[in-house]
Amino acid sequence: MDRLANTVRPYAWGSTTAIPELLGVQPTGEPQAELWMGAHPGAPSRVDRGAGSVALSEVIAADPEGELGADAVRLFGPRLPFLLKVLAAGSPLSLQVHPDLAQAKEGFADEEERGVPIDAAHRNYKDANHKPELICALTPFNGLCGFRDPNEAAELLAALEVDPLKPYVDILHAHPESHALREVLTAVLTADPEAMAETVRQASVAAERLGALDGPYAPAYAAYASIARHYPGDPGVIAAMLLNFVTLQPGEALYLGAGVPHAYLDGLGIEIMANSDNVLRCGLTPKHVDVPELLRIVRFESAAPAVLRPEADPSGEELYTTPIDEFRLSRHVLADGADPRPLPTTGPQILLCASGEVSLRGADGELPLTRGQSAFVPAGERASLSGDGTVFRATVTA
């Protein structure tokens, strides 16, 4: 087992205080958006097994089966198939969607064949993998997830009383669900930029007013007004109004599968995802928005956000159930004086201490973990947890 030295990514939307507070260090004054734990080539964690600091990706590459287990290598190849993050949103992230596995393979192959540089601003597919993800709240966490029912979206837009939005209201009322959502999103993202900027301005003023009143949509209006302040004139502000607004309480989570438009707005959470960089953006960003490709990927169906709560098994481990194999997130809430809790040995594990002080014990000794510290346990290595705190455990399902 290895203590991990991790990289903080300083994206502009990051909180200036949340990750430093978690790690017990002084803020720098700069945004600190994501703390990465894993073997992603962009910022792999580092370990020291006595010969100096080495990237975890290099350790795994030197002995994939020894570090990941034969089953994980057979299913996912010789690499850690997930990336674990602490995500600290101080302002809204881009509105985005991820492809499924078949779409990712097809899109990546097409762009490779056409010679699109891997670092080109207009490139959609950085790899041939899908990117399902799960976000689990450590603090109250606000986000957008999936389409609202079209009639509900029409009611929300109509209450803004903004004339350019009235045709969208009519479409949402008159068409079958999938056609209505597709037609309105297409119209929003392809509208004349100057005209749309004015529509966004009017809508944001109205949302600010409605967000201050009592009513079922007041929290959503307040959120949309906040988004507009960060992205003035962006068509993604109107696109966001088609989506469900959701607040997660600490310990609650959302699973985001392929084709589901979403955006994180504010809060601190633990995110786990398949190891991929494939993102298609729908707005709230200065980056490239490929509308034709986006419309091919998005699933135009409404659904209320399925908020996940951890389910305990007889061992005391609390699992967030998801329908994919590349990752499995669970947590252990440990009490001082309780018996050590053995960990399974079937796959690679990353353990993150989210609160308190715990001890990870293995054949080679004991590794103390305090808030914000993390460790890697290779497949097959016996280890147990004890102490007084909460530990999140990331591994594979298989």
Side-chain angles (χ1 to χ4, degrees), residues 4-327:
L4 295 178
N6 305 307
T7 298
V8 175
R9 306 305 294 261
Y11 305 132
W13 48 262
S15 166
T16 59
T17 59
I19 288 179
E21 182 181 348
L22 178 75
L23 298 178
V25 300
Q26 287 297 314
T28 64
E30 299 297 321
Q32 298 191 27
E34 295 180 347
L35 178 72
W36 285 23
M37 292 157 281
H40 190 285
S45 300
R46 302 187 71 84
V47 301
D48 188 342
R49 293 184 175 177
S53 177
V54 180
L56 181 59
S57 53
E58 295 179 19
V59 171
I60 291 171
D63 183 13
E65 289 200 4
E67 302 294 334
L68 306 177
D71 288 343
V73 172
R74 175 176 54 83
L75 289 171
F76 311 117
R79 64 192 185 99
L80 189 67
F82 61 84
L83 175 64
L84 185 67
K85 301 178 180 179
V86 176
L87 184 147
S91 59
L93 283 66
S94 63
L95 188 59
Q96 57 188 250
V97 69
H98 305 305
D100 63 25
L101 188 57
Q103 290 165 338
K105 289 180 177 178
E106 181 183 345
F108 181 75
D110 173 66
E111 290 185 326
E112 288 288 281
E113 184 178 347
R114 291 190 285 115
V116 181
I118 197 69
D119 58 352
H122 63 285
R123 174 124 187 183
N124 294 314
Y125 298 94
K126 308 295 186 183
D127 52 67
N129 199 18
H130 63 165
K131 193 184 178 185
E133 62 190 43
L134 179 142
I135 185 77
C136 177
L138 292 178
T139 67
F141 193 97
N142 293 319
L144 305 173
C145 177
F147 286 109
R148 293 179 178 272
D149 177 271
N151 290 315
E152 184 180 297
E155 181 180 349
L156 187 147
L157 290 177
L160 295 170
E161 298 182 335
V162 173
D163 285 345
L165 295 179
K166 291 179 180 178
Y168 304 155
V169 173
D170 293 339
I171 293 169
L172 291 168
H173 278 312
H175 288 256
E177 175 175 289
S178 61
H179 294 291
L181 294 170
R182 175 184 288 272
E183 189 170 342
V184 172
L185 183 63
T186 303
V188 169
L189 296 181
T190 59
D192 175 77
E194 289 188 8
M196 179 52 67
E198 175 58 21
T199 299
V200 171
R201 187 194 67 79
Q202 295 179 37
S204 63
V205 171
E208 192 84 52
R209 174 177 54 82
L210 293 170
L213 303 176
D214 289 332
Y217 296 139
Y221 284 128
Y224 301 140
S226 175
I227 292 169
R229 288 193 294 273
H230 287 95
Y231 297 97
D234 192 303
V237 174
I238 305 301
M241 295 181 179
L242 301 174
L243 305 185
N244 297 295
F245 172 73
V246 60
T247 297
L248 300 177
Q249 298 303 320
E252 295 180 334
L254 279 177
Y255 171 73
L256 298 158
V260 178
H262 61 277
Y264 302 145
L265 303 181
D266 60 82
L268 182 69
I270 292 177
E271 184 181 36
I272 188 168
M273 61 186 63
N275 220 342
S276 171
D277 292 321
N278 288 327
V279 175
L280 285 95
R281 294 175 175 82
C282 318
L284 309 183
T285 178
K287 295 182 179 179
H288 178 63
V289 176
D290 185 336
V291 175
E293 187 66 12
L294 178 68
L295 297 176
R296 192 177 75 87
I297 298 301
V298 171
R299 295 183 178 176
F300 291 97
E301 53 190 38
S302 65
V307 176
L308 302 178
R309 295 172 180 84
E311 301 175 3
D313 67 14
S315 74
E317 182 178 42
E318 300 176 338
L319 174 65
Y320 295 91
T321 302
T322 61
I324 55 118
D325 295 330
E326 282 91 338
F327 63 74

